[in-house]
Amino acid sequence: MEKIGKLIVISAPSGCGKSTIIGDIMDRGELDLQFSVSATNRKPREGETDGVSYHFLSDQQFKDLIAEGAFVEYEEVYPGRYYGTLRSEIQNRIASGKNVILDIDVKGGINVKKQFGETAISIFIAPPCIEELRRRLKGRGSDSDEEIEQRVGRAEYELGFSKDYDYVVINDNLAEAISAVEKIMADFIRK
Ligand code: ADP
Ligand code: 5GP
């Protein structure tokens, strides 16, 4: 019988280095991982491609999919902005032995872990401290001061959920955080 693939859930407050860490691990390709492309009703940002960054949907399309039971989980992450993991992104892949990585918010992450139990692992990436998170968000240069304060506020809220994750990795030194996350993933996949 074919081996069932596993789910790797990664959550982190905005600015904690999640994209940098996942990007590095996927680019090196040592672990055979496929990315779950979420659906959202938010508009694409510059440089984002439909079907690659997200499946970009209208409000109505998103509602229809909820009614059809197409989502494993979905959340209103920001007011009026919905994000969800489609069954079609994960079920066939894990059934054929592929490992799937999910970049989703804290509530979605905890939900997936509850549903999939031993088949899923959850990793939370945390900043060394809130001040450093604020510095990195400023350094990234993609958000206004007001947005930065919103993200910092939400980060403090999300950090409260880190205790519900299987692993918490503090992203202080980037190279060390990448190898810690990669090792957790590798050990879980080979288990
Ligand atoms: P996220 O995807 O979690 O929102 P990013 O990967 O975009 O976060 O990282 C936010 C910013 O912090 C980026 O400018 C990134 O280069 C920087 N960064 C990430 N990790 C570190 C680190 N360990 N030390 C210093 N800067 C970092
Ligand atoms: P952004 O709009 O910056 O791309 O993402 C905002 C937030 O939505 C991030 O915290 C991201 O992890 C979360 N997110 C993305 N896809 C999903 C999903 O399918 N489900 C849930 N619950 N959250 C998601």
Side-chain angles (χ1 to χ4, degrees):
M1 206 180 75
E2 200 154 6
K3 193 170 142 262
I4 298 267
K6 293 182 175 169
L7 297 181
I8 297 167
V9 173
I10 305 239
S11 302
S14 177
C16 289
K18 189 173 50 174
S19 316
T20 311
I21 292 171
I22 296 178
D24 187 273
I25 293 172
M26 301 282 283
D27 285 352
R28 270 190 298 124
E30 301 229 336
L31 302 174
D32 187 18
L33 299 172
Q34 302 206 346
F35 196 78
S36 163
V37 180
S38 294
T40 183
N41 68 341
R42 85 149 160 78
K43 299 279 170 283
R45 295 187 190 124
E46 215 176 292
E48 287 183 330
T49 311
D50 188 30
V52 177
S53 320
Y54 284 104
H55 298 288
F56 292 102
L57 307 178
S58 66
D59 295 353
Q60 192 56 49
Q61 285 171 318
F62 203 101
K63 276 188 193 144
D64 290 345
L65 288 176
I66 295 174
E68 286 166 26
F71 290 110
V72 171
E73 63 75 35
Y74 68 92
E75 296 289 337
E76 186 178 6
V77 178
Y78 300 106
R81 279 203 255 151
Y82 289 82
Y83 297 81
T85 306
L86 292 161
R87 272 179 216 292
S88 54
E89 284 288 317
I90 60 178
Q91 245 157 13
N92 290 345
R93 287 167 169 174
I94 59 171
S96 61
K98 305 259 189 282
N99 303 304
V100 180
I101 186 159
L102 287 80
D103 163 356
I104 60 181
D105 91 313
V106 283
K107 288 198 183 155
I110 291 164
N111 186 346
V112 166
K113 178 68 195 177
K114 266 196 199 127
Q115 291 187 52
F116 288 86
E118 296 292 293
T119 306
I121 195 172
S122 57
I123 306 171
F124 188 95
I125 298 168
C129 63
I130 290 293
E131 228 2 86
E132 174 61 16
L133 175 64
R134 189 177 276 119
R135 262 196 295 277
R136 286 184 196 170
L137 283 168
K138 282 193 178 150
R140 186 166 70 178
S142 59
D143 308 284
S144 67
D145 285 353
E146 194 188 330
E147 277 169 332
I148 288 174
E149 285 319 308
Q150 261 175 14
R151 284 174 194 266
V152 167
R154 190 171 163 90
E156 288 177 309
Y157 162 78
E158 290 186 350
L159 276 164
F161 291 90
S162 62
K163 61 180 187 327
D164 298 318
Y165 276 67
D166 296 323
Y167 292 90
V168 177
V169 173
I170 297 173
N171 177 16
D172 190 354
N173 175 292
L174 180 60
E176 284 173 16
I178 291 170
S179 53
V181 172
E182 197 166 25
K183 182 169 187 326
I184 293 166
M185 290 180 177
D187 289 349
F188 176 63
I189 288 170
R190 289 178 195 132
K191 203 160 72 178

